[in-house]
């Protein structure tokens, strides 16, 4: 009985990731956030904060919360100091330079290490510019990825909701399929009841017929053996009678021919006196062959009896057994079919009793409400996202502006610089390169506080959301927090999922393993499948109806006493007589002498005899040859056939008695077995038929329980929904936010060393107003000392 498998619905591939990707940067951000916030999720603190507390307890919880957020607070304090101090330092720096201080005086001291210092500063600015450019590119990519993630969040949400609708719709469909599959056992049971004659009757015939068919087969073999033996005895009778008739005929002809030859020999005279005619007589006497009339009569009496008809009647009785069973069980079949209708109604009402019947309506209504709400916010969010992307792209362009100024300074400064030219006579390109450096410094002072402000806000918000939500969701600590009773006012998991149900953590783990809804919600603690699929009251009535059925068969008689006596008597009287003498005669020559030899001898005498006897001797020799040919043609085949028949009956009749005794004994045993076991066979086979009938429903109930507990409502889509929320909210959107502020913060902090190095490097390329003068004075020393020159610097306008 093939019941099939519960069909599982097909779901979508899951959320679609944004085209751009920054896996290495994401890892750096996560590492930085874990460095800032190494503490685990404070589940106890959050639970306490959710409960009303006294003022003193509230202060303690605030201190605990501040201690937990210490890393973020320190970073926020650094950011605030940056926002306040950098503009202030920039203003002081500008005022200082306007007063000729802080490098504002256009004068550069010259020395032998000027070139090395310039190259070192140039390399430092180049490295910082490369790092700034890399951070700016990462920020721009993160900004673009955030826009892609926000744009794809709505299609991903709709796809997730569509999968959930498919999942919710599949649950009642699967339950209805299980209920509808009851038609398979009902169909098999109804077919078995309608064909009870062939099924139950066939079982009875098979059990009874094992011994009966063997006995009938043995009797039929015995009758065939006796018929064959009777035919052989009949052949012996006919052949021996034919041989006697031919022997009588040929004996007369031999006697007449011998008389004529004797007269011819006497007429021939002395030359023919030595011829002997003793061989012209039969050597065998076929009249001495024993008669087999007694054996033939005994065997023919068996053939002429009604034993074959009796065996045919036995076979007919067995063949009509299915029809008798069909007729005698008509009432029980009607009662059983009525109970099948009751079973169909009971199983058909099973889906209405299933505890998740209203799950589809409420779940689909919630999903429709959620998706419609998302669609309402889709246009505003998309519009805001375009503005946000433009603003963030503008901030990236500000960083890029500083990088461009530095790059132009790095390119123009070395190109226009002449090593031999004094600082007051530097070229336009070199001076322009220095001015670009100072422009970059000015832009850095102007926009760095704004960049830090943009970094600080998403850092505090996005970093805490990642640590509190995303990381705890990934390691399932958030589920343990949600399992806390009373954490969310008005939310009681036991009321949502039912008493005795699992917690959210275990529910998620089981759904991730694609467990069935029955296992995930522990519905066995609320509903008993044994009661839900209980059809024992109907099967009990079917069993009671079959216990009252009364099936009787026509009596079967294999052999009566007269038939047994007839078979035994035929096996005794059918033994062949003693054919030893007859076989010896049949193996001898037909005549005492050879007729051919006598004919040859007469032909020789005809040549020696006179004219009067010559022709007679030749004619008589020819008659002898002709008679010999006729006798051989007539008698040889009959004698050979008679010998074969004798050998056959001696061989077959030898085991006839043993075969008859065994067959009669087997028939008696089969008859006794029928008398003793027919009633029990009918009862046992009826019980076996009933067990097969009820086995259809036992198999179905076991399959239905297994399908309900293991196949219906496999809740992996629920776990995939949580995973989709984590992927879209955390991996796509929040990671993009975090990588953006991390990249932008990276650039913002690098602006500080860039300012210092750019200011220092600008003096090596800008045109100075005051130049260093080198005067060489030769100091004459004592003759014992070497003379050397000491340069002296004098200011000159």
């Amino acid at each position: 009985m093939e019941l099939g498998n519960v069909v599982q619905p097909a779901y979508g591939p899951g959320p679609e990731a944004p085209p751009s990707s920054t896996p290495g940067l994401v890892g750096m951000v996560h590492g930085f956030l874990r460095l800032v916030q190494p503490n685990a999720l404070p589940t106890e603190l959050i639970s306490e904060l959710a409960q009303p507390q006294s003022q003193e307890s509230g202060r303690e919880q605030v201190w605990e919360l501040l201690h937990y957020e210490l890393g973020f607070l320190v970073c926020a304090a650094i950011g605030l100091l940056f926002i306040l101090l950098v503009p202030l330092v920039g203003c002081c720096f500008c005022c200082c330079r306007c007063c000729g201080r802080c490098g504002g005086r256009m004068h550069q001291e010259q020395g032998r290490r000027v070139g090395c210092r310039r190259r070192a500063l140039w390399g430092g600015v180049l490295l910082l510019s490369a790092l700034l450019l890399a951070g700016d590119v990462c920020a721009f990519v993160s900004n673009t990825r955030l826009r892609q993630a926000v744009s794809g969040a709505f299609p991903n949400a709709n796809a997730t909701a569509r999968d959930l609708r498919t999942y919710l719709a599949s649950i009642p469909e699967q339950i209805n399929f299980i209920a509808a599959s009851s038609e398979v056992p009902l169909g098999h049971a109804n077919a078995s009841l309608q064909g009870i004659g062939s099924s139950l009757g066939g079982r009875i015939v098979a059990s009874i017929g094992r011994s009966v068919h063997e006995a009938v087969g043995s009797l039929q073999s015995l009758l065939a053996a006796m018929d064959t033996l009777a035919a052989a005895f009949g052949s012996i009778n006919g052949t021996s009678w034919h041989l006697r008739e031919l022997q009588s005929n040929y004996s007369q002809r031999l006697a007449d021919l011998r008389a004529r030859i004797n007269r011819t020999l006497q007429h021939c005279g002395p030359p023919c006196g030595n011829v002997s005619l003793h061989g012209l007589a039969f050597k065998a006497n076929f009249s001495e062959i024993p008669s087999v009339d007694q054996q033939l009569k005994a065997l023919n009496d068996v053939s002429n009896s009604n034993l074959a008809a009796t065996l045919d009647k036995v076979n007919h009785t067995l063949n009509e057994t299915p029809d008798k069973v069909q007729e005698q069980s008509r009432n029980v079949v009607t009662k059983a079919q009525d109970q099948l209708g009751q079973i169909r109604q009971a199983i058909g009402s099973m889906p209405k009793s299933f505890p998740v019947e209203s799950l589809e309506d409420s779940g689909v209504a919630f999903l429709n409400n959620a998706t419609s709400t998302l669609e309402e916010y889709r246009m505003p969010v998309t519009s805001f996202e375009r503005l946000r992307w433009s603003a963030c792209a503008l901030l990236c362009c500000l960083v890029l502006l500083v990088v461009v100024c530095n790059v132009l300074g790095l390119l123009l400064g070395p190109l226009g610089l002449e090593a031999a030219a004094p600082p007051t006579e530097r070229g336009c390109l070199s001076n322009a390169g220095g001015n670009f450096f100072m422009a970059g410094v000015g832009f850095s002072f102007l926009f760095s506080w704004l960049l830090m402000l943009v970094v600080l806000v998403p850092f505090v918000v996005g970093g805490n959301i990642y640590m509190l939500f995303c990381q705890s969701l990934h390691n399932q600590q958030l589920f343990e927090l949600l399992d806390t009773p009373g954490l969310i006012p008005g939310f009681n998991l036991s009321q949502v999922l039912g008493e005795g149900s699992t917690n959210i953590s275990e529910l998620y783990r089981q759904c991730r393993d694609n467990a069935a809804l029955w296992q995930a919600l522990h519905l066995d603690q609320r509903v008993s499948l044994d009661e839900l699929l209980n059809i024992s009251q109907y099967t009990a009535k079917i069993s009671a109806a079959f216990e009252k059925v009364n099936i009787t068969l026509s009596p079967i008689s294999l052999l009566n006493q007269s038939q047994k006596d007839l078979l035994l008597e035929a096996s005794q009287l059918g033994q062949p007589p003693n054919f030893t003498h007859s076989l010896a005669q049949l193996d001898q020559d037909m005549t005492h002498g050879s007729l051919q030899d006598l004919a040859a001898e007469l032909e020789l005498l005809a040549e020696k005899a006179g004219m009067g006897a010559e022709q007679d001797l030749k004619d008589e020799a020819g008659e002898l040859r002709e008679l010999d040919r006729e006798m051989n043609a007539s008698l040889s085949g009959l004698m050979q056939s008679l010998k074969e028949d004798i050998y056959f009956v001696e061989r077959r009749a030898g085991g006839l008695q043993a075969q008859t005794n065994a067959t009669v004994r087997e028939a008696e045993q089969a008859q006794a077995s029928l008398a003793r076991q027919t009633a029990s066979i009918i009862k046992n086979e009826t019980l076996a038929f009933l067990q097969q009938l009820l086995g259809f429903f036992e198999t179905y109930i076991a399959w239905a329980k297994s399908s309900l507990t293991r196949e219906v409502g496999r809740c992996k889509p629920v776990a995939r929904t949580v995973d989709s929320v984590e992927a879209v909210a955390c991996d796509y959107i929040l990671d993009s936010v975090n990588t953006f502020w991390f990249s932008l913060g990276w650039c913002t902090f690098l602006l500080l060393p860039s300012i210092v190095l750019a200011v220092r490097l600008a003096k090596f390329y800008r045109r100075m107003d005051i130049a260093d003068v080198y005067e060489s004075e030769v100091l004459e020393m004592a003759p014992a000392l070497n003379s050397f020159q000491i340069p002296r610097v004098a200011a000159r306008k």
Side-chain angles (χ1 to χ4, degrees):
M1 186 175 66
E2 182 63 34
L3 292 171
N5 297 320
V6 177
V7 179
Q8 299 297 333
Y11 302 105
E16 184 179 356
S20 57
S21 175
T22 55
L25 188 60
V26 170
M28 293 172 61
V29 173
H30 291 173
F32 176 74
L33 290 176
R34 282 191 289 268
L35 181 64
V36 173
Q37 178 56 277
N39 301 316
L41 182 69
T43 54
E44 296 181 0
L45 177 60
I46 297 175
S47 301
E48 293 174 358
L49 290 174
Q51 304 296 330
Q53 301 290 334
S54 62
Q55 185 175 1
E56 182 178 356
S57 299
R59 284 196 297 269
E60 293 179 358
Q61 293 167 1
V62 169
W63 280 109
E64 291 180 8
L65 181 61
L66 292 176
H67 183 268
Y68 173 77
E69 293 287 338
L70 182 60
F72 283 99
L73 292 176
V74 171
C75 292
I78 295 173
L80 290 174
L81 288 175
F82 188 96
I83 294 171
L84 295 175
L85 293 180
V86 171
L88 182 60
V89 170
C91 291
C92 294
F93 179 73
C94 291
C95 294
C96 185
R97 287 183 66 87
C98 289
C99 295
R101 305 279 184 180
C102 302
R105 186 165 176 254
M106 302 300 289
H107 165 261
Q108 184 181 21
E109 297 180 356
Q110 297 295 309
R112 285 180 294 182
R113 296 180 181 266
V114 172
C116 293
R117 289 170 59 194
R118 184 181 66 248
R119 284 189 289 271
L121 290 173
W122 190 90
V125 174
L126 177 63
L127 176 61
L128 288 174
S129 299
L131 294 176
L132 284 170
L133 181 61
D136 193 47
V137 170
C138 290
F140 187 82
V141 171
S142 299
N143 185 39
T144 304
R145 189 171 189 268
L146 177 58
R147 182 180 182 181
Q148 295 169 347
V150 173
S151 301
F154 294 96
N156 287 330
N158 291 332
T160 301
R162 184 166 55 251
D163 287 345
L164 283 177
R165 290 192 194 94
T166 302
Y167 169 69
L168 294 174
S170 68
I171 296 176
E173 291 177 358
Q174 291 172 342
I175 296 175
N176 291 332
F177 170 77
I178 293 174
S181 296
S182 63
E183 291 298 325
V184 176
L186 287 170
H188 280 74
N190 190 43
S192 297
L193 288 173
Q194 291 178 348
I196 192 173
S198 59
S199 56
L200 178 56
R203 288 172 175 268
I204 295 173
V205 170
S207 297
I208 293 177
R210 277 193 291 268
S211 58
V212 173
H213 285 312
E214 292 177 0
V216 169
S218 299
L219 286 170
Q220 290 176 340
S221 298
L222 178 61
L223 291 179
M226 288 187 172
D227 289 341
T228 303
L229 198 58
F233 278 123
S235 178
I236 290 174
N237 243 2
T239 303
S240 60
W241 177 83
H242 198 187
L243 284 174
R244 285 194 293 270
E245 289 295 323
L246 289 175
Q247 186 179 26
S248 174
N249 183 23
Y250 285 123
S251 295
Q252 182 62 41
R253 291 177 63 184
L254 285 173
D256 294 342
L257 182 58
R258 183 173 55 189
R260 290 201 308 272
I261 294 173
N262 193 24
R263 286 194 298 270
T264 302
L265 291 175
Q266 291 177 359
H267 184 265
C268 178
C272 301
N274 296 327
V275 177
S276 174
L277 299 179
H278 176 70
L280 289 177
F282 273 96
K283 190 175 184 180
N285 187 4
F286 296 137
S287 60
E288 295 179 357
I289 296 175
S291 174
V292 291
D293 291 338
Q294 177 184 351
Q295 290 83 354
L296 192 58
K297 179 180 182 304
L299 295 175
N300 286 333
D301 288 343
V302 173
S303 300
N304 296 330
S305 67
N306 61 349
L307 186 55
T310 301
L311 298 180
D312 291 339
K313 184 178 179 180
V314 170
N315 289 327
H316 177 71
T317 302
L318 292 176
N319 293 334
E320 71 177 1
T321 298
D323 295 334
K324 279 186 167 294
V325 172
Q326 186 77 37
E327 180 182 356
Q328 295 175 6
S329 58
R330 185 177 294 111
N331 293 333
V332 71
V333 168
T334 302
K335 294 178 181 179
Q337 288 178 333
D338 293 339
Q339 297 306 313
L340 292 183
Q342 297 294 328
I343 293 174
R344 180 180 285 105
Q345 293 180 2
I347 297 178
S349 63
M350 183 265 292
K352 299 179 182 179
S353 305
F354 206 74
V356 292
E357 181 181 6
S358 62
L359 181 63
E360 181 184 9
D361 296 335
S362 59
V364 170
F366 172 78
L367 291 174
N368 291 336
N369 186 29
T371 52
S372 62
T373 303
L374 284 176
E375 288 298 323
E376 291 177 2
Y377 286 99
R378 183 169 187 172
M379 291 303 296
V381 170
T382 304
S383 300
F384 173 78
E385 177 58 25
R386 283 197 295 268
L387 295 176
R388 184 211 60 79
W389 182 87
S390 300
C392 292
L394 180 60
L395 293 175
C396 294
C397 290
L398 294 179
V399 177
L400 184 61
L401 180 61
V402 175
V403 174
V404 169
C405 290
N406 287 347
V407 171
L408 290 175
L410 291 171
L411 292 175
L412 298 177
L415 288 175
L417 181 65
E418 296 181 3
T424 56
E425 297 178 4
R426 288 173 179 160
C428 295
L429 284 178
S430 177
N431 188 56
N435 290 335
F436 273 117
F437 281 129
M438 295 310 296
V441 171
F443 291 138
S444 299
F445 276 121
L446 284 175
F447 303 124
S448 59
W449 67 273
L450 179 61
L451 294 175
M452 180 54 69
L453 181 62
V454 174
V455 169
L456 181 60
V457 175
F459 162 70
V460 175
V461 177
N464 276 288
I465 292 177
Y466 172 77
M467 298 304 296
L468 292 173
F469 176 75
C470 294
Q471 184 167 311
S472 59
L473 178 62
H474 183 71
N475 57 27
Q476 300 183 19
Q477 288 183 344
L478 183 62
F479 297 147
E480 298 176 2
L481 180 63
L482 293 176
D483 288 333
T484 304
L487 178 65
I488 303 176
F491 176 76
N492 190 335
L493 184 64
S494 298
Q495 293 179 357
V496 176
L497 300 180
E499 295 294 335
S501 298
T502 182
N503 53 39
I504 297 179
S505 302
E506 185 179 355
L507 178 62
Y508 173 76
R509 285 192 294 270
Q510 291 189 354
C511 288
R512 186 179 58 189
D513 296 335
N514 204 20
L517 199 63
W518 188 275
Q519 298 173 345
L521 298 182
H522 294 291
L523 295 180
D524 54 336
Q525 300 177 7
R526 301 169 55 192
V527 179
S528 174
L529 280 182
D530 294 333
E531 295 179 0
L532 196 64
L533 297 172
N534 184 14
I535 58 172
S536 58
Q537 55 179 332
Y538 310 111
T539 57
K541 292 180 180 179
I542 294 176
S543 301
F546 269 90
E547 288 177 358
K548 297 178 181 179
V549 68
N550 184 20
I551 297 176
T552 57
L553 304 181
S554 300
I556 297 176
S557 177
L558 295 174
L559 288 177
N560 54 35
Q561 189 60 41
S562 61
Q563 291 170 336
K564 295 178 187 177
D565 295 340
L566 182 62
L567 289 174
L568 293 174
E569 181 180 1
S571 66
Q572 294 174 357
L573 297 178
Q575 296 302 313
N578 188 359
F579 286 109
T580 304
H581 180 66
S582 299
L583 290 173
Q585 289 185 343
L586 292 173
D587 290 333
Q588 296 176 358
D589 296 331
M590 287 182 289
T591 57
H592 287 284
S594 174
L595 299 184
Q596 293 291 341
D597 293 342
L598 182 59
E601 186 178 1
L602 293 179
E603 289 175 349
L604 291 175
L605 290 176
E607 295 176 359
K608 299 177 181 181
M611 295 298 296
E614 177 182 1
Q615 188 60 39
D616 293 337
L617 288 174
K618 289 182 179 182
D619 294 339
E620 290 165 355
E623 290 183 17
L624 283 173
R625 293 184 184 278
E626 182 64 24
L627 183 59
D628 182 68
R629 283 193 297 270
E630 290 182 12
M631 291 174 61
N632 284 329
S634 302
L635 298 177
S636 295
L638 293 175
M639 293 171 64
Q640 183 63 31
S641 176
L642 181 60
K643 285 195 296 182
E644 291 177 356
D645 289 337
I646 291 173
Y647 287 137
F648 176 78
V649 297
E650 287 182 344
R651 185 173 60 254
R652 295 297 297 270
L656 182 62
Q657 265 188 303
Q659 183 181 4
T660 303
N661 292 333
T663 302
V664 171
R665 186 165 53 252
E666 184 178 0
E668 290 175 346
Q669 292 175 354
Q671 191 70 52
S673 176
L674 283 175
R676 184 176 62 254
Q677 297 180 357
T678 298
S680 62
I681 287 174
I682 294 174
K683 182 179 180 180
N684 293 336
E685 294 301 334
T686 303
L687 181 60
F689 176 80
L690 176 62
Q691 292 298 327
Q692 180 187 10
L693 193 68
L694 300 181
F696 295 139
F697 299 103
E698 292 175 357
T699 302
Y700 167 75
I701 295 299
W703 173 82
K705 289 181 179 179
S706 176
S707 299
L708 286 172
T709 56
R710 297 182 181 181
E711 301 295 334
V712 171
R714 288 182 174 268
C715 60
K716 193 167 187 177
V718 177
R720 287 184 59 184
T721 301
V722 177
D723 295 340
S724 298
V725 171
E726 180 184 2
V728 173
C730 297
D731 298 343
Y732 303 160
I733 297 178
L734 193 59
D735 278 351
S736 300
V737 173
N738 289 336
T739 52
F740 176 75
W741 64 251
F742 182 80
S743 302
L744 203 59
W746 168 6
C747 295
T748 304
F749 277 105
L750 287 178
L751 288 176
L752 297 180
S754 175
I755 291 173
V756 175
L757 296 181
V759 170
R760 298 292 303 275
L761 184 59
K763 267 205 169 185
F764 289 92
Y765 297 118
R766 296 180 71 190
R767 186 183 297 118
M768 298 290 103
D769 295 335
I770 302 172
D772 285 345
V773 177
Y774 294 85
E775 292 182 355
S776 300
E777 297 181 0
V778 178
L779 300 179
E780 295 183 359
M781 308 299 294
L785 299 175
N786 294 327
S787 62
F788 58 90
Q789 296 179 348
I790 300 175
R792 294 193 180 184
V793 181
R796 182 179 65 183
K797 293 187 178 180

